[in-house]
Amino acid sequence: MQKPQTPVIGGNFADPSIIRVGRDYYMTHSSYKLTPGLLIWHSRDLQQWKPVSAALTAYIGDVWAPDFAEHNGQFYIYFPAGGTNWVVSAPSPLGPWSQPVDLGIKGIDPGHITSPDGKRYLHMSGGLFTELADDGLSVIGEPRHVYDGWRYPEDWVVEAYSLEGPKLTFHNGYYYLTVAVGGTAGPPTSHMAVSSRSRTPWGPWEHSPYNPIVHTESADEQWWSKGHGSLIETAEGEWLIVYHAYLNGYHTLGRQTLMEPIEWTEDGWFCISEREVQLPSQPESFNDSFEDSLLALYWQCEGHEPSVRFRPEAGKLTADVASEQGTASPLLFMPWHERYEAEVEIDTADAAEGRLMLYYNDSAFFGMGVSAAGVRHFRSFKRYGTVPSTSGKAFIRIRNDKHTVSFYYSFGGHLWQKYDKVIEASGFHHNTFGGFLSLRIALDAVGEGQVAFRNFKYKSLED
């Protein structure tokens, strides 16, 4: 029987890449079109994590599967976006991070390794490999194919072969190449992490007899589509594998970050260990009164910086309107519970409408809007009746209780009324709409004029 697991970082934080600096741990993930991108998460105990910086402050494209690396005291993140591969660098994981440098090579999911003689290399999806210049900011020669991955039995139920996410570890004279195969979504048993090793960074490779290292074998398990592993040695000399997975029945939350202990075998391989580890601790709530002049890193927009439309200051968040939904990204917040509430006070002016939504993309969203006419419920395909008010102000609350979503409003903040519409939202995820996104909480302003948001609150409803 499998041990229950708690996410290390809940919500849609996929393709984790982790490093250790002394007793400090840092991790980054795919950020897609979200800006700021490549959030850097920090922990001292591997249990509690907090975002502390962002390596990308401006939009560069759809960012997938990065690799976090350190070399001679300098830090690097290699990542694909816009049909090429990039690198940013910094003297500390906290930054300041450089402007992105285009490496000018195709492929996705670059994985960095430094050999004992100081030479640097990148592996990429599909088994491609290239040498890097000494500074790590350019490539030498053309990528070449050096790796054919381990093959699972033909009768396994997976999404596709999709050899991706190479992560390199040098240990006891071997280069261990951990890759993802099986496809990253689709059926519950699709994804996995497998390992191979070589005496050189470019092969020849032998496959682990313990493959797959991480894999969902049945839809009855707690976590689906487990895969994309990254190894880390703790300050105490123990080893762990960090990977992502969907919670059973909750594709809406996206691929969450998990961690399990591994052990090295007598024949020089690694496999999942039965060693007990402390379960991570997830925060139960997040409140934002918008007192600071900079938004917390929990807030992001797609395709542009939040500051283009959203300005926090002195207890309110002022939002410039978009002419209509889909013309500019709402401000997005990533929930991480199966049961949660989100609440905010909305103050509108002129012909503007302020919105609190659950948002997958610009064609799949729903929520409540506040305007001078009152409050109303809307979905991406339909508008519903307005509860009249002349103040242009209201408090809005959305409750997501295991995919059953209810809507509440109050014109004074004390007496709450339930809106006469309820949504079943379990289908708002990648297998339906694509994009590898998740159902996120969103603030937005449409129409004409400005909208002010105050006192955003997010909390778990777990018993």
Side-chain angles (χ1 to χ4, degrees), residues 76-107:
Y76 303 82
I77 300 177
Y78 295 88
F79 64 95
T84 185
N85 281 272
W86 306 78
V87 60
V88 290
S89 58
S92 162
L94 302 179
W97 288 91
S98 71
Q99 292 297 308
V101 176
D102 186 356
L103 296 175
I105 53 174
K106 303 294 184 181

Side-chain angles (χ1 to χ4, degrees), residues 173-442:
Y174 279 103
Y175 295 88
Y176 290 85
L177 178 57
T178 305
V179 299
V181 295
T184 59
T189 55
S190 60
H191 208 24
M192 64 196 83
V194 304
S195 178
S196 306
R197 72 182 183 186
S198 172
R199 290 291 188 182
T200 77
W202 51 83
W205 302 93
E206 57 177 326
H207 302 313
S208 172
Y210 301 94
N211 283 337
I213 309 300
V214 173
H215 181 223
T216 303
E217 297 182 3
S218 165
D220 295 331
E221 294 183 26
Q222 181 188 8
W223 293 94
W224 289 358
S225 300
K226 298 190 296 188
H228 199 107
S230 179
L231 304 189
I232 185 70
E233 183 180 15
T234 71
E236 292 74 30
E238 296 180 333
W239 285 82
L240 302 156
I241 185 169
V242 181
Y243 61 92
H244 64 216
Y246 289 106
L247 180 62
N248 185 332
Y250 287 90
H251 279 79
T252 53
L253 289 172
R255 294 172 294 173
Q256 308 186 57
T257 303
L258 300 173
M259 183 180 293
E260 286 195 69
I262 60 171
E263 61 186 22
W264 293 94
T265 64
E266 291 185 0
D267 53 354
W269 296 98
F270 63 90
C271 60
I272 296 296
S273 170
E274 293 300 317
R275 185 176 78 247
E276 294 289 337
V277 295
Q278 182 180 351
L279 292 177
S281 175
Q282 292 289 316
E284 293 301 307
S285 64
F286 172 82
N287 296 334
D288 198 336
S289 60
F290 305 115
E291 295 290 344
D292 296 332
S293 60
L294 294 176
L295 278 170
L297 290 171
Y298 291 96
W299 296 105
Q300 298 166 291
C301 286
E302 288 186 340
H304 61 80
E305 301 92 300
S307 60
V308 171
R309 294 183 59 211
F310 299 93
R311 297 177 300 281
E313 186 178 11
K316 71 176 180 179
L317 175 72
T318 302
D320 295 334
V321 300
S323 59
E324 61 184 35
Q325 186 72 48
T327 60
S329 169
L331 188 64
L332 301 169
F333 175 88
M334 195 88 71
W336 57 89
H337 294 97
E338 301 97 86
R339 304 178 64 234
Y340 63 82
E341 278 186 352
E343 178 185 316
V344 73
E345 180 183 352
I346 302 176
D347 188 351
T348 67
D350 302 320
E353 179 179 78
R355 294 178 166 186
L356 175 64
M357 303 184 290
L358 295 187
Y359 178 94
Y360 186 84
N361 61 25
D362 61 13
S363 62
F365 57 86
F366 54 88
M368 290 285 284
V370 178
S371 69
V375 300
R376 68 180 181 92
H377 170 58
F378 60 87
R379 306 183 191 184
S380 48
F381 59 86
K382 189 173 182 180
R383 298 186 176 198
Y384 293 84
T386 298
V387 180
S389 171
T390 59
S391 68
K393 301 179 183 180
F395 296 79
I396 300 297
R397 177 184 296 160
I398 293 179
R399 172 179 291 180
N400 187 342
D401 190 349
K402 297 183 178 180
H403 303 312
T404 299
V405 184
S406 306
F407 307 91
Y408 302 82
Y409 62 92
S410 171
F411 293 116
H414 303 291
L415 179 63
W416 288 86
Q417 299 289 329
K418 183 175 180 289
Y419 194 92
D420 186 26
K421 293 293 176 185
V422 176
I423 287 181
E424 200 290 316
S426 62
F428 285 77
H429 56 73
H430 168 78
N431 282 350
T432 306
F433 296 109
F436 293 104
L437 305 175
S438 61
L439 190 59
R440 296 154 293 177
I441 298 165

